[in-house]
Amino acid sequence: MTRPDFDALFDRLIRDVPDFPKPGVTFKDITPLLADHEGFEAVIDGLADAGRDGAGNTVVDAVIGMEARGFILAAPVALALGVGFVPVRKPGKLPSATYSVSYALEYGEAILELHTDAIKPGERVLLVDDVLATGGTAAATVQLVERCGAGVHALAVLMELSFLHGRDALDGLDLLALRTL
């Protein structure tokens, strides 16, 4: 399959919402993309490529999605790769024992949690999220995966906001961004 023109696709199907969730922040609204079957399918296939080798074989044991929009993308990526989906959630949302990490956002602070038994030691996972901004969410998720004794194969995102230097927080982690702004 030919790789789609993600720039044109995103220009058409992702809208900017100024001053959301607070003044000075421009929110990238992906809901029009999610509602477009062909666009959504192209994005899922593109993100899943980060969990495959050059021959198209799956090289990860699970896909992790970070709350909340990462869930929307990570679950179908896991299905495309033939592996399970593991959620990383905000505090108090997971019903069993968890590891927790606090981290800085581009507009505040947050905590993420992962079930202590969600990933087995030695497994390799693909992280999936919608936007890489400051890298705080991804870096916190890497810490959670490492606490389980597992490793992160790569991070796949729809968009990288390069002006926020999120790659700097990822310590050389392989990154697939379908679009870099």
Side-chain angles (χ1 to χ4, degrees):
M1 182 169 140
T2 305
R3 185 177 169 107
D5 179 352
F6 286 114
D7 287 339
L9 182 72
F10 291 1
D11 285 345
R12 185 170 57 86
L13 295 173
I14 296 177
R15 64 181 157 216
D16 287 347
V17 180
D19 299 321
F20 184 84
K22 67 181 222 175
V25 174
T26 300
F27 184 79
K28 299 292 186 183
D29 181 9
I30 65 170
T31 57
L33 172 67
L34 300 174
D36 184 275
H37 177 265
E38 289 180 8
F40 189 37
E41 184 176 40
V43 161
I44 296 308
D45 289 342
L47 294 170
D49 284 345
R52 295 184 177 113
D53 63 17
N57 300 309
T58 299
V59 295
V60 295
D61 302 296
V63 174
I64 292 182
M66 290 82 96
E67 191 161 331
R69 295 190 304 175
F71 293 174
I72 297 167
L73 300 170
V77 167
L79 288 174
L81 292 172
V83 299
F85 164 73
V86 176
V88 167
R89 306 276 331 249
K90 293 177 182 173
K93 301 288 186 180
L94 294 172
S96 191
T98 61
Y99 293 120
S100 296
V101 172
S102 61
Y103 66 100
L105 294 166
E106 60 271 26
Y107 48 84
E109 290 192 17
I111 297 172
L112 289 178
E113 295 184 339
L114 173 69
H115 276 139
T116 58
D117 62 354
I119 307 163
K120 294 175 182 59
E123 288 188 327
R124 296 185 51 79
V125 301
L126 172 64
L127 307 184
V128 175
D129 209 354
D130 61 330
V131 176
L132 174 63
T134 63
T137 301
T141 303
V142 168
Q143 290 178 44
L144 290 169
V145 169
E146 290 172 348
R147 284 191 188 166
C148 290
V152 176
H153 171 72
L155 167 65
V157 297
L158 287 179
M159 295 171 284
E160 176 187 6
L161 305 180
S162 61
F163 57 91
L164 293 175
H165 308 286
R167 276 181 196 259
D168 297 346
L170 301 179
D171 198 29
L173 179 66
D174 283 344
L175 171 66
L176 169 68
L178 299 183
R179 185 177 202 185
T180 300
L181 301 172

